[in-house]
Amino acid sequence: MRHVFVSPHLDDALFSAGDYIYSLCKKGSNVLVVSVFTSFGEGDTSKGAKKYIKECGFSNTNDFALQRIKEDKKAMNKLGVKNF
């Protein structure tokens, strides 16, 4: 059986259903996690977001988003999710 989790943002599925996802993967279930909003797009970024991104050590939103995607994939791999 395939289980599909729709994650509004990166790591939402992990924080809201991580234990359940892990248990499904341990049982050998086919788990798919779909993250919907994974980038900032081309629009303006708020001052607060720019400050946060800079404090995280990134000079632009694209590099920040790519790192967050990489982190989410790593976390999903640890849970046993193969599809995301």
Side-chain angles (χ1 to χ4, degrees):
M1 175 187 274
R2 179 177 233 184
H3 300 272
V4 179
F5 293 83
V6 178
S7 183
H9 304 97
L10 295 168
D11 73 24
D12 284 352
L14 175 69
F15 287 120
S16 63
D19 286 342
Y20 184 54
I21 292 170
Y22 178 69
S23 70
L24 290 170
C25 290
K26 278 189 79 169
K27 292 177 185 175
S29 295
N30 185 356
V31 176
L32 171 66
V33 176
V34 179
S35 293
V36 180
F37 300 105
T38 59
S39 68
F40 290 92
E42 299 298 322
D44 291 333
T45 305
S46 70
K47 272 186 168 179
K50 286 179 184 177
K51 181 180 176 191
Y52 177 74
I53 289 166
K54 186 175 183 180
E55 288 172 354
C56 290
F58 297 92
S59 60
N60 61 70
T61 57
N62 188 53
D63 289 345
F64 177 78
L66 290 174
Q67 180 61 32
R68 294 285 291 115
I69 291 168
K70 185 178 177 181
E71 291 169 354
D72 201 48
K73 286 182 179 182
K74 184 176 179 181
M76 289 298 137
N77 280 329
K78 285 189 175 199
L79 291 179
V81 176
K82 306 282 188 255
N83 302 301
F84 48 94

